[in-house]
Amino acid sequence: MTEHHGIASAGVSAPPQEAPRRPDADGIPLLIEQSAPGRRAAAPPASDVPPVPLEAILPPAVLRPTPPPLPEVSELDLVRHYTRLSHRNYAVDLGFYPLGSCTMKYNPKVNEDAARLPGFARLHPYTPGPLAQGALRLMAELEAMLAEITGMDRVTFQPAAGAHGELTALLMVRAYFADRGERQRTRVAVPDSAHGTNPASAAMCGYEVLTVPSDRRGNIDVEALRRMADGRLAALMLTNPNTLGLFEERILEVAELVHGVGAQLYLDGANFNAMLGITRPGDQGFDLMHTNLHKTFSTPHGGGGPGAGPVAVKAHLAPYLPVPVVERDGDGYRLDYDRPKSIGRVRAFYGNFAVLVRAYAYIRAYGPLLRQVSEAAVLNANYLLALLRDAFDLPYDRPCKHEFVLSGRRQKRESGVTTRDIAKRLLDYGFHAPTIYFPLIVEEAIMVEPTETESRETLEAFARAMLAVAEECRTQPDLVRTAPHTTPVARLDEVTAARRPNLRWRLPEDPPA
Amino acid sequence: MLATIGVADVEDLFADIPASVRLLRDLRLPPAPSDAELLAELRAFSGQNADADRYVCFLGAGAYDHFIPSVVWHLAGRAEFVTAYTPYQAELMQGELQATYEYQSLLCALTGMEVANASMYDGASATAEAAVMARDLTRRSGILLSTAVHPEYRQVLRTYTAPLGLTVTDLPHEGGVTTPQAVRDALDGETAAVVVQHPNFFGRLEEVRALAEAAHAAGALLVVAVADPVAYGLLQPPGALGADIVAGEGQPLGNHLNFGGPYLGMLATREAFVRRMPGRLVGATVDARGRRGFVLTLQTREQHIRRERATSNICTNEALNALAAAVYMAALGPHGLRQVAEACVRKAHYARERLCALPGFGLAFPGPTFHEFVLTCPLPPERLNDGLQSRGILGGLPLGPCYPDLDHGWLLCVTEMRTRAEIDRLVEAVAEIAEEDVR
């Protein structure tokens, strides 16, 4: 078949002797490799003011001698490039994403429409308060709803992500103790099953990190915690349900212990999807927490963000919230900057507002029925666990909450196949793999979170794939070890990528450094 | 499903939660509306806001109303990008990974730096992380921070660095710019970094090369914060002028104003510093059959592995906004971006000249500016803004609250989006309001 000027010839041609090569068989060229001088995809508004020579406005020395070396492509080139890249992506809208601790649920499209309303998307952050009442009211109402859901008193929306919320929370703990003259509190306790961001956030806040072991039932080891709990402890950072998907059975004892030495109890709210309307962290004794709005209250993850990590606190910590906070002012709302004990700011402006709009729409759409979200999430997780529990090792045999952790150690011992291999083989079955090698306390960990939005049929199809891979581990271990076989690229060489980093394209005149 | 699990009721799955902390009532939330009602309500909220479609916007100060070509969000908004997660399984996520690699490349091309990460939270937090990075690289603890850096960036930098024991010293601006002499006077053997913004908060251009030389002579690094990278479509980028770290805000590259977020933090540096750089990085490599592919790399820097020794806790970043920024840069290309930057300069200059011709108005800091400038006004800028609002115009930012010595200072921004007719309307309105005030 020949092509002229992009129009396929109408003539009859012989069928190809071999299967045609897909245009992206060797990968999609980089944009810079598609560049041709003079092409352009978009024309910006022209200048319509009287033409003054540029040199009369700016000294020549400040100007770039040559324009930035960006690619020159047409709009169609650009559309095809990114559309083809998008075809090489896995996404919730394409399939099941059982990533434990990441809560990859379906995000209702109505939220997207809400966030794109021009009164939100086109609103400048320094618009005077009286002209931004709709945005401020949305924030105030979302704060009230989150306070009710978490059992807390006040909320800051400034943190842009969960880990950013952790940092913000610890800065508030630090400010609280500095205010009370308790500067000897230099330590933060973190369970060994915690998200890696917990110890990293504590370190960024200048704290010494104490690692608390887990006990045999997957709870925090209360006796070990007791030995660490003294006047030097500032806070315990706890995830509940924890990263094993288990509720901390002795939570009240833990809260009493932490408060008994005057420390603060912090909740990493990454797993809050399991608890909506069932139990409130504020009622369990937590003093402050972050919520991952993008997980629990549904913003699409965007390939790694944006998210939002608002921090909710009990009243005694409210004076330390970042500035500004939204306050009621007569019939309206205003931003309050006059908060002398505030930790300051952790971000410019007020947070990831468009994510707040989505969370607001999501919570309103459920209202008091929010509890059903968590019930379904927990039911789905336990059902999937029941389907898989015989094929893999189960390190902690308890009813799980919204996620559970299996171990591939049996497969590794019997066939030499690792959890990484199993994850890669699942890709051939058309599923994204679960979270692997986390939490660190489980050997060859496989962490599965189905979420409430998946159907029974999807859960069963995924279980069949997992069971088939378990069977392959016994019968054809090499097939698993060399997976994936059907993805656009085969297993990638991560060692070379790290040893000889190639982190950007280089033009011919721009040799590797 | 319950029978397979082996329980009689969903409630049994929650039996391990102590009864005393179970919520035995419904959540006190407003009753759920239908989707149609919900959208109507949100439309009403959004309609109470003076957005940049309904009002003519002369506000800048860290958030910029640039033209966003339709192609940007038609592509960045594709569900395969929007509903994907962090690319932990590289073989399934080559699209996201290649797009991020290309974003890193485009950002390097724009800033003149050698490596860029996959994005941070925003310009302010990226600047703060750059200061921490400079501490790690130099093993020194002093930060010299120009007062011509965005006030909110400075607040965030102080919040981040205080618990780490860094000492932050203000560098006064002189006539709206940071002088190399002021830097030399303040530098000492403990200075890890000099932090300036270019173009700075007042819209002025800093002498980046001289500031870099001053910093380097004392063994310190130069961190250049950026509020609007569109400027580098026209101006010499910091990388060509000796900057060691460029930290900035990527919102102006194809991202909406969004009442302040989500935006995206940009971070770029020299190749030699890459292992001290926070945030995710995507690298090119090959697959088992020798084909080009992309992976998350140098992850040993990250909290997944280093935990309490990690240099940063960044996990979720702003990947979708970075994608939009990449599409934007590629859509405009070298000449389009230069055209945007030039239109900004010309239109801002036109507005500046016309406003300064009004009685009592003048430039607070004479000298070249990019698309922002500070006027001194014969009346409080708040009063000007009030008058402009009733005429459908969002005026500039009053500087008094952040800079008490500039209590009649008014920071105005003119992007390529403002037409000559809109600028003329602003000038006439300002003249009227000022005249009314005299009477």
Side-chain angles (χ1 to χ4, degrees):
Chain A
M1 197 123 121
T2 55
E3 286 189 25
H4 297 285
H5 310 296
I7 301 165
S9 78
V12 178
S13 54
Q17 295 301 302
E18 51 190 69
R21 263 171 81 77
R22 288 175 55 93
D24 65 349
D26 294 317
I28 299 166
L30 300 172
L31 269 170
I32 200 79
E33 293 161 352
Q34 302 173 46
S35 179
R39 288 192 189 152
R40 189 192 293 180
S47 176
D48 58 355
V49 295
V52 178
L54 205 57
E55 306 77 65
I57 306 176
L58 291 175
V62 306
L63 301 178
R64 265 188 114 112
T66 53
L70 305 175
E72 297 179 73
V73 293
S74 71
E75 180 166 337
L76 181 56
D77 293 337
L78 197 65
V79 168
R80 289 211 176 124
H81 180 70
Y82 280 101
T83 304
R84 289 166 76 198
L85 287 183
S86 77
H87 289 182
R88 289 193 157 200
N89 245 19
Y90 194 85
V92 170
D93 282 10
L94 286 166
F96 184 40
Y97 231 124
L99 270 177
S101 227
C102 298
T103 312
M104 288 295 286
K105 59 187 184 184
Y106 174 73
N107 306 128
K109 299 297 183 195
V110 63
N111 302 354
E112 298 303 301
D113 286 348
R116 285 185 191 138
L117 289 168
F120 298 139
R122 298 270 295 129
L123 185 60
H124 192 285
Y126 287 141
T127 306
L131 295 183
Q133 283 296 298
L136 296 177
R137 182 172 162 201
L138 184 140
M139 290 171 76
E141 289 190 5
L142 182 59
E143 178 176 356
M145 295 195 298
L146 282 177
E148 164 65 6
I149 296 166
T150 58
M152 298 284 174
D153 297 309
R154 288 303 307 259
V155 181
T156 173
F157 291 115
Q158 210 168 85
H164 205 202
E166 293 171 19
L167 175 67
T168 307
L170 289 177
L171 288 166
M172 291 170 63
V173 168
R174 189 172 170 272
Y176 169 74
F177 284 125
D179 204 17
R180 293 166 61 93
E182 299 181 47
R183 288 176 191 275
Q184 83 288 358
R185 294 189 185 270
T186 55
R187 300 166 144 199
V188 164
V190 180
D192 56 2
S193 64
H195 298 108
T197 49
N198 286 188
S201 299
M204 279 182 77
C205 205
Y207 283 115
E208 181 191 343
V209 178
L210 307 177
T211 304
V212 194
S214 302
D215 69 15
R216 280 199 198 149
R217 284 184 60 76
N219 293 311
I220 185 173
D221 183 334
V222 179
E223 300 322 311
L225 177 66
R226 201 179 304 281
R227 288 191 293 275
M228 296 172 188
D230 58 27
R232 293 172 294 178
L233 190 68
L236 168 66
M237 301 177 83
L238 204 59
T239 310
N240 193 23
N242 62 29
T243 61
L244 297 163
L246 304 173
F247 192 85
E248 290 289 347
E249 294 166 304
R250 297 169 74 181
I251 184 62
L252 296 175
E253 215 180 321
V254 168
E256 206 181 304
L257 178 54
V258 169
H259 291 152
V261 296
Q264 297 289 293
L265 185 58
Y266 169 78
L267 176 72
D268 173 335
N271 292 345
F272 198 41
N273 204 48
M275 295 290 108
L276 302 171
I278 289 162
T279 174
R280 307 192 309 169
D283 299 340
Q284 292 166 29
F286 286 96
D287 299 291
L288 71 174
M289 69 177 287
H290 82 260
T291 60
N292 298 71
L293 280 194
H294 47 293
K295 297 182 182 181
T296 313
F297 303 106
S298 94
T299 288
H301 285 45
V311 176
V313 300
K314 292 273 182 67
H316 66 282
L317 292 167
Y320 310 97
L321 288 165
V323 281
V325 295
V326 181
E327 295 285 6
R328 185 136 206 148
D329 186 14
D331 291 337
Y333 300 89
R334 68 182 169 86
L335 291 167
D336 180 16
Y337 289 86
D338 184 18
R339 301 180 67 82
K341 290 187 175 181
S342 165
I343 59 164
R345 284 179 164 279
V346 293
R347 188 196 178 286
F349 311 120
Y350 330 113
N352 282 348
F353 177 77
V355 177
L356 309 185
V357 176
R358 291 174 174 92
Y360 178 91
Y362 180 82
I363 295 173
R364 288 297 317 280
Y366 280 95
L369 301 181
L370 210 48
R371 177 192 173 98
Q372 293 175 0
V373 167
S374 291
E375 287 179 349
V378 173
L379 176 64
N380 276 358
N382 280 281
Y383 182 61
L384 193 50
L385 173 59
L387 298 179
L388 295 176
R389 57 179 303 143
D390 294 335
F392 297 89
D393 281 1
L394 180 62
Y396 301 94
D397 190 2
R398 284 169 49 188
C400 67
K401 289 298 167 283
H402 65 311
E403 65 191 9
F404 57 89
V405 181
L406 302 169
S407 167
R409 67 189 160 207
R410 190 193 314 169
Q411 282 73 17
K412 189 177 179 187
R413 194 176 57 239
E414 290 172 358
S415 322
V417 175
T418 65
T419 282
R420 184 176 311 281
D421 301 330
I422 292 171
K424 295 301 179 196
R425 183 61 180 150
L426 275 168
L427 311 184
D428 286 332
Y429 282 83
F431 289 105
H432 195 280
T435 296
I436 53 172
Y437 298 104
F438 184 78
L440 306 177
I441 56 171
V442 174
E443 189 189 343
E444 297 293 309
I446 304 173
M447 186 188 201
V448 183
E449 179 179 3
T451 81
E452 73 281 8
T453 58
E454 297 298 335
S455 69
R456 181 174 174 173
E457 290 76 12
T458 300
L459 302 181
E460 289 168 355
F462 176 71
R464 281 195 298 276
M466 285 284 282
L467 297 176
V469 174
E471 178 65 17
E472 286 172 352
C473 290
R474 274 196 302 277
T475 56
Q476 311 173 71
D478 278 346
L479 181 69
V480 183
R481 233 177 269 133
T482 52
H485 303 286
T486 59
T487 46
V489 291
R491 212 177 288 196
L492 291 152
D493 183 354
E494 295 185 8
V495 174
T496 302
R499 284 212 184 121
R500 291 202 299 273
N502 169 355
L503 305 171
R504 69 178 159 101
W505 63 44
R506 287 164 202 280
L507 300 169
E509 68 271 24
D510 180 21
Chain B
M1 290 170 84
L2 290 170
T4 306
I5 298 167
V7 294
D9 193 289
V10 172
E11 276 300 297
D12 298 344
L13 300 173
F14 297 98
D16 49 1
I17 302 179
S20 62
V21 299
R22 295 288 299 273
L23 189 66
L24 300 173
R25 57 168 175 84
D26 284 342
L27 285 168
R28 294 189 185 109
L29 296 172
S34 68
D35 273 9
E37 290 165 330
L38 178 61
L39 272 178
E41 199 180 299
L42 283 161
R43 237 179 253 122
F45 275 31
S46 108
Q48 289 175 23
N49 302 323
D51 63 73
D53 281 343
R54 294 169 55 216
Y55 280 63
V56 183
C57 178
F58 291 96
L59 277 169
Y64 299 96
D65 181 27
H66 286 296
F67 174 64
I68 303 177
S70 300
V71 71
V72 172
W73 281 98
H74 273 279
L75 294 175
R78 286 185 66 87
E80 301 91 331
F81 292 126
V82 172
T83 74
Y85 197 67
T86 307
Y88 289 139
Q89 293 294 337
E91 296 84 356
L92 275 191
M93 297 294 288
Q94 284 300 297
E96 179 72 35
L97 288 161
Q98 183 172 338
T100 306
Y101 177 86
E102 299 206 36
Y103 161 79
Q104 293 171 187
S105 304
L106 287 156
L107 199 63
C108 288
L110 186 62
T111 58
M113 303 304 286
E114 292 170 334
V115 288
N117 73 10
S119 80
M120 315 282 285
Y121 301 134
D122 77 335
S125 55
T127 305
E129 296 252 13
V132 176
M133 193 179 147
R135 175 201 68 160
D136 294 344
L137 283 164
T138 60
R139 296 165 195 262
R140 295 174 174 191
S141 60
I143 302 290
L144 296 182
L145 180 58
S146 167
T147 51
V149 172
H150 194 300
E152 295 194 10
Y153 289 27
R154 287 188 277 136
Q155 288 175 1
V156 173
L157 191 148
R158 285 180 189 274
T159 308
Y160 266 70
T161 54
L164 300 173
L166 275 81
T167 316
V168 182
T169 308
D170 276 338
L171 269 177
H173 68 86
E174 284 171 36
V177 290
T178 318
T179 66
Q181 190 54 50
V183 170
R184 280 191 288 271
D185 291 346
L187 273 163
D188 62 32
E190 261 311 298
T191 308
V194 176
V195 182
V196 300
Q197 182 181 326
H198 174 71
N200 70 26
F201 185 66
F202 307 122
R204 294 293 316 280
L205 310 181
E206 295 283 7
E207 283 182 62
V208 178
R209 195 188 298 276
L211 294 168
E213 280 162 10
H216 293 161
L221 303 180
L222 183 75
V223 174
V224 175
V226 184
D228 191 347
V230 164
Y232 304 144
L234 181 65
L235 304 182
Q236 281 265 31
L241 300 171
D244 299 289
I245 306 174
V246 173
E249 178 52 66
Q251 175 272 330
L253 304 170
N255 281 277
H256 293 289
L257 289 166
N258 284 334
F259 200 45
Y263 289 0
L264 75 136
M266 312 181 307
L267 196 66
T269 186
R270 302 183 181 286
E271 198 128 20
F273 299 162
V274 66
R275 282 168 206 274
R276 288 286 181 178
M277 185 181 213
R280 291 209 170 89
L281 287 167
V282 172
T285 185
V286 289
D287 78 351
R289 283 188 260 167
R291 292 173 299 193
R292 178 164 67 186
F294 302 88
V295 290
L296 291 176
T297 193
L298 300 180
Q299 292 186 79
T300 47
R301 302 166 304 123
E302 291 186 64
Q303 25 74 24
H304 305 296
I305 301 188
R306 289 176 61 87
R307 290 176 77 88
E308 69 274 5
R309 290 175 300 129
T311 48
S312 159
N313 69 345
I314 291 256
C315 185
T316 290
N317 54 352
E318 312 287 318
L320 193 68
N321 305 92
L323 175 66
V327 180
Y328 175 86
M329 285 186 268
L332 288 165
H335 306 290
L337 200 66
R338 184 185 164 105
Q339 210 179 317
V340 174
E342 254 195 61
C344 286
V345 172
R346 289 180 187 284
K347 292 181 178 194
H349 188 75
Y350 172 74
R352 194 181 116 159
E353 298 293 294
R354 287 215 56 195
L355 287 163
C356 284
L358 299 177
F361 287 83
L363 277 182
F365 311 117
T369 49
F370 182 60
H371 58 14
E372 289 178 281
F373 52 90
V374 181
L375 286 184
T376 51
C377 311
L379 67 167
E382 290 82 357
R383 219 179 295 162
L384 284 166
N385 282 344
D386 288 344
L388 290 170
Q389 280 163 26
S390 61
R391 293 162 167 90
I393 296 172
L394 290 172
L397 186 75
L399 292 185
C402 285
Y403 296 91
D405 52 332
L406 288 171
D407 67 332
H408 279 203
W410 199 33
L411 179 67
L412 287 149
C413 175
V414 185
T415 68
E416 82 282 7
M417 290 286 272
R418 299 289 74 82
T419 63
R420 179 178 177 169
E422 288 171 344
I423 299 168
D424 291 343
R425 241 175 86 195
L426 168 77
V427 176
E428 283 152 29
V430 168
E432 277 171 31
I433 298 161
E435 213 167 297
E436 280 163 23
D437 194 67
V438 176
R439 286 203 301 262

